[in-house]
């Protein structure tokens, strides 16, 4: 290192050489430092929640609800960041959440570390553009090295997918249930993915949350759908229907109502009777048409303008032995019509048999104190999956859903980019070593930037060790030593507090999580470095 420091900034007295020490007085430097301080503050806030031994955060929302989580994206989404640079880091973790789904904490911690490295170089008088360019080049090299040590994975290899999903769940609050949740995540994604698919739309996986039982009661519904709503029992209708024909309607089974508020004054009791009779007749005709189409299970979309069903229509439907589920949300309609093979009907005249979906059984079952409507044995079912998540209280349930989402995303990453790498800080140290070696072959400023980038990558193993209560300096030094001796898969085993081969411990993560974290963090740091003024628009 000593040899490089001397060649950093030779000041050319004659005609300002390109390498002249860059010190930009006044505002630009202040703006940069303020941006970096804000961004590093955000990064330090989530740093403690990295890894399997990370701490959890308790967040109280503006509505007074309490969230307990250690998912980076969720924590940052709840932080009210006022500083624009801090907001950029929040957006960065969102971007990672969309791209990879996991590694949302990693990406923010990495960005904070790179900003720290950049700050030191700015203090030495380097130009921000040079630093930003060198960092982008270094990140491309880092992705190359990561791809090099990755192991290709086949989607049929369930064991590898399970290992990746379990690793993702191990750093969550619900880690003791990873044996229940990991197989569910793997089964859900493999059911949606085909051998040739390059992505999986996670909107086709629906997680229905019910308070009751424990997380171990969480299950994947085989060949069927779970509904968020319960069966309407007010009219005394059935709660179980075999050989179901399912209709999905978007109109209301109640008396029609004009768009404007109005009052009709009836001053004769015979007309009064007539009004009531007309209403009965109108609703009865609708119910008969529904029955005529052969429908015996009716899902009714939630209505804002008037009641979706009234007592009268419920009474008729129960006499016709039709099971009713009301208040289906508008955004669920797509999922249900795709899953059940039925078409949503917006007008009673269009309600015909070809619009119905078929299933062997629609039943409202009671599971661990929660009532759930299950539709099983659906004929020609679309490619969708329903997961029923259970938990003792809403806090645990919410966290269970977030963890499941991360596990699903991890398996989806393996569909996008079919390769796995180790976890436990092993890939970061490996890349850091190779980058430092590569830096020796470069000249001038770039060499210095690459070296700083390599050192910044070590924040991940350092943080993992810190959060597990180990001595970070001793651990990371030992880790470097092992890698120098050629053990490329040596990583931190957090359970024993020693360095071991991380693949034997089954700690693996998708390649996409690491590469996208490195790329996104570097891009954000490059952006922040190039900002030299901050103007508030009125």
């Amino acid at each position: 290192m000593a040899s490089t420091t001397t060649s950093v900034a030779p000041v050319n007295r004659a005609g300002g050489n390109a390498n002249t020490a860059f010190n930009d007085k006044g505002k630009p430097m202040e703006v940069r430092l303020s941006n970096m301080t804000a961004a590093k503050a955000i990064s330090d806030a989530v740093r403690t929640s990295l890894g399997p031994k990370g701490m959890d955060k308790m967040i109280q929302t503006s509505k007074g609800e309490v969230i307990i989580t250690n998912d980076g994206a969720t924590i940052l989404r709840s932080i009210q960041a006022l500083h624009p640079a801090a907001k950029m880091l929040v957006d960065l973790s969102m971007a990672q959440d969309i791209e990879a789904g996991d590694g949302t904490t990693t990406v923010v911690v990495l960005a904070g570390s790179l900003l720290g490295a950049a700050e030191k170089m700015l203090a030495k008088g380097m130009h921000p553009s040079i630093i930003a360019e060198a960092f982008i080049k270094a990140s491309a090299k880092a992705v190359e090295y990561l791809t090099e040590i990755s192991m290709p994975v086949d989607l049929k290899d369930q064991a590898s997918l399970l290992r990746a999903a379990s690793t993702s769940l191990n750093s969550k609050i619900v880690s003791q249930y990873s044996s229940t949740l990991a197989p569910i995540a793997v089964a859900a994604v493999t059911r949606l993915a085909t051998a040739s698919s390059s992505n999986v739309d996670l909107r086709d996986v629906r997680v229905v949350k019910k308070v009751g039982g424990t997380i171990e009661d969480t299950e994947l519904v085989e060949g069927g759908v779970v509904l968020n709503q319960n069966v309407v029992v007010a009219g005394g209708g059935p709660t179980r229907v075999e050989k179901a024909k399912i209709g999905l309607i978007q109109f209301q089974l109640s008396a029609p109502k004009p768009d404007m508020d109005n009052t009709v004054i009836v001053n004769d009791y015979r007309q009064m009777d007539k009004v009531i009779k007309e209403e009965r007749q109108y609703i009865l005709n609708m119910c008969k048409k529904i029955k005529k189409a052969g429908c015996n299970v009716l899902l009714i979309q939630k209505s804002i303008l008037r009641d979706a069903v009234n007592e009268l229509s419920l009474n008729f439907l129960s006499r016709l032995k039709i099971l009713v589920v009301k208040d289906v949300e508008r955004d669920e309609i797509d999922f249900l019509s795709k899953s059940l093979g039925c078409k949503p009907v917006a007008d009673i005249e269009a309600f015909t048999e070809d619009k119905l979906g078929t299933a062997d059984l629609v039943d409202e079952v009671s599971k661990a104190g929660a009532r759930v409507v299950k539709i099983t044995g659906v004929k020609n079912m679309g490619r969708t999956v329903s997961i029923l998540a259970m938990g003792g209280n809403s806090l645990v349930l919410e966290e269970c859903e977030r963890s499941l989402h991360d596990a699903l995303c991890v398996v989806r990453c393996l569909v996008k980019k079919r390769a796995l790498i180790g976890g436990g800080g092993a890939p970061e140290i490996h890349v850091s070593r190779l980058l430092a070696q590569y830096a020796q072959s470069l000249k001038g400023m770039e060499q210095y930037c690459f070296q700083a980038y390599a050192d910044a990558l070590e924040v991940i193993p350092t943080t993992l060790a810190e959060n597990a209560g180990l001595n970070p300096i001793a651990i990371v030094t030992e880790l470097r030593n092992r890698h120098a001796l050629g053990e490329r898969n040596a990583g931190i085993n957090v359970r024993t507090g020693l360095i071991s081969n991380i693949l034997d411990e089954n700690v693996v993560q998708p390649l996409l999580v690491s590469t996208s974290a490195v790329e996104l963090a570097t891009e954000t740091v490059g952006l922040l470095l190039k900002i030299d003024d901050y103007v508030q628009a009125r």
Side-chain angles (χ1 to χ4, degrees):
M1 276 311 283
S3 62
T4 54
T5 42
T6 48
S7 66
V8 165
V11 179
N12 186 343
R13 299 274 181 276
N17 182 334
N19 263 2
T20 323
F22 169 80
N23 52 2
D24 198 351
K25 289 283 178 290
K27 196 173 178 194
M29 205 58 199
E30 272 176 29
V31 168
R32 260 183 219 109
L33 287 178
S34 132
N35 282 349
M36 288 183 175
T37 314
K40 275 159 60 183
I42 289 277
S43 152
D44 289 341
V46 291
R47 193 174 157 181
T48 49
S49 69
L50 182 75
K53 295 280 175 108
M55 299 291 165
D56 305 327
K57 308 281 183 221
M58 192 180 226
I59 302 161
Q60 188 165 19
T61 61
S62 50
K63 292 178 189 159
E65 296 166 4
V66 176
I67 303 174
I68 299 176
T69 180
N70 64 4
D71 174 46
T74 310
I75 297 169
L76 290 176
R77 200 181 295 134
S78 314
I79 289 180
Q80 256 102 35
L82 296 174
H83 197 290
K87 281 189 184 140
M88 279 174 72
L89 279 203
V90 176
D91 294 341
L92 164 69
S93 87
M94 296 298 142
Q96 173 76 1
D97 200 27
I98 292 164
E99 174 62 27
D102 199 17
T104 45
T105 318
T106 312
V107 73
V108 177
V109 171
L110 200 54
S113 171
L114 290 171
L115 282 170
E119 199 175 335
K120 282 181 195 142
M121 288 190 291
L122 282 174
K124 286 201 169 75
M126 283 186 167
H127 196 286
S129 298
I130 295 178
I131 303 174
E133 271 172 36
F135 273 11
I136 298 283
K137 280 184 191 164
S139 83
K141 262 292 185 230
V143 170
E144 200 178 294
Y145 293 142
L146 282 170
T147 315
E148 209 176 281
I149 57 163
S150 65
M151 303 161 291
V153 65
D154 186 16
L155 288 185
K156 293 191 181 68
D157 179 10
Q158 293 280 332
S160 295
L161 301 184
L162 269 176
R163 273 165 36 198
S166 303
T167 304
S168 162
L169 288 166
N170 277 341
S171 64
K172 304 281 182 272
I173 298 176
V174 292
S175 56
Q176 68 263 38
Y177 298 109
S178 63
S179 55
T180 313
L181 299 178
I184 289 179
V186 172
V189 176
T190 43
R191 191 162 298 179
L192 297 178
T194 55
S196 58
S197 56
S198 62
N199 197 355
V200 171
D201 188 357
L202 287 186
R203 281 177 300 204
D204 291 340
V205 178
R206 178 137 163 257
V207 181
V208 173
K209 300 179 299 218
K210 293 280 180 185
V211 177
T214 61
I215 296 179
E216 285 168 350
D217 295 328
T218 299
E219 59 169 349
L220 184 81
V221 179
E222 293 288 334
V225 181
V226 184
L227 298 182
N228 278 316
Q229 297 77 11
N230 289 345
V231 174
V232 182
V233 286
T239 57
R240 176 189 167 99
V241 172
E242 289 178 13
K243 295 197 179 60
K245 295 267 194 199
I246 305 165
L248 182 58
I249 63 170
Q250 294 179 301
F251 54 86
Q252 294 85 21
L253 292 177
S254 57
K257 194 169 151 189
D259 292 341
M260 313 184 283
D261 270 347
N262 62 354
T263 44
V264 179
I265 298 171
V266 182
N267 50 15
D268 182 0
Y269 70 90
R270 277 174 306 197
Q271 280 174 313
M272 184 91 172
D273 259 5
K274 197 175 176 192
V275 170
I276 294 172
K277 260 189 184 153
E278 284 284 325
E279 183 185 352
R280 279 185 67 111
Q281 196 55 45
Y282 174 79
I283 291 176
L284 187 57
N285 284 345
M286 283 175 99
C287 294
K288 279 182 174 166
K289 274 182 186 158
I290 289 171
K291 186 66 184 174
K292 193 178 166 193
C295 163
N296 54 11
V297 173
L298 198 57
L299 309 180
I300 305 178
Q301 183 179 322
K302 198 172 191 171
S303 161
I304 320 165
L305 300 172
R306 57 181 210 239
D307 302 336
V309 278
N310 57 15
E311 285 179 13
L312 197 56
S313 54
L314 281 176
N315 180 18
F316 288 147
L317 289 170
S318 75
R319 285 192 199 169
L320 294 167
K321 297 280 184 290
I322 295 176
L323 180 148
V324 183
V325 176
K326 65 172 186 175
D327 291 348
V328 175
E329 295 288 345
R330 176 162 290 184
D331 48 6
E332 294 176 300
I333 295 281
D334 280 350
F335 179 85
L336 289 173
S337 61
K338 188 173 178 182
S339 310
L340 301 170
C342 55
K343 296 192 183 79
V345 183
D347 182 41
I348 184 68
E349 299 304 328
F351 196 89
T352 49
E353 195 167 350
D354 56 334
K355 306 269 196 318
L356 303 181
T358 335
D360 292 344
L361 176 66
V362 176
D363 191 10
E364 185 173 49
V365 289
S366 178
K367 183 173 178 186
R371 301 194 66 75
V372 187
V373 180
K374 276 190 187 171
I375 303 176
T376 46
V378 179
K379 302 280 185 299
N380 42 24
M381 182 174 168
R383 273 185 183 271
T384 59
V385 179
S386 289
I387 297 172
L388 175 61
M390 312 279 285
N393 58 22
S394 55
L395 288 179
V396 176
L397 198 53
E398 295 285 333
E399 183 58 18
C400 170
E401 187 199 14
R402 280 191 288 271
S403 308
L404 247 176
H405 173 260
D406 277 15
L408 287 166
C409 286
V410 163
V411 188
R412 184 188 68 171
C413 284
L414 290 174
V415 176
K416 279 188 184 175
K417 224 183 203 177
R418 302 184 183 191
L420 278 169
I421 53 175
E428 284 83 6
I429 286 283
H430 174 77
V431 171
S432 170
R433 252 191 68 250
L434 290 181
L435 272 179
Q437 283 173 12
Y438 178 72
Q440 300 299 329
S441 67
L442 299 169
K443 291 187 179 61
M445 296 277 200
E446 223 175 350
Q447 173 181 19
Y448 205 79
C449 296
F450 266 70
Q451 185 62 52
Y453 191 94
D455 291 344
L457 284 175
E458 287 180 3
V459 71
I460 303 289
T462 312
T463 308
L464 279 177
E466 265 175 32
N467 289 348
L470 311 170
N471 178 351
I473 298 172
I475 290 278
V476 174
T477 314
E478 170 64 13
L479 196 51
R480 276 200 213 131
N481 182 21
R482 289 286 192 84
H483 275 260
L485 295 173
E487 295 181 33
R488 12 201 289 190
N489 290 324
I492 303 171
N493 183 347
V494 191
R495 290 195 184 83
T496 57
L498 302 168
I499 306 284
S500 58
N501 182 340
I502 215 76
L503 297 183
D504 298 346
E505 301 291 332
N506 284 343
V507 179
V508 288
Q509 58 186 12
L511 173 64
L512 187 67
V513 170
S514 288
T515 53
S516 106
V518 168
E519 284 171 347
L520 290 170
T522 314
E523 277 171 21
T524 305
V525 170
L527 265 177
L528 279 169
L529 278 173
K530 285 184 178 167
I531 294 171
D532 75 337
D533 207 344
Y534 170 53
V535 183
Q536 251 181 330
R538 282 278 167 269

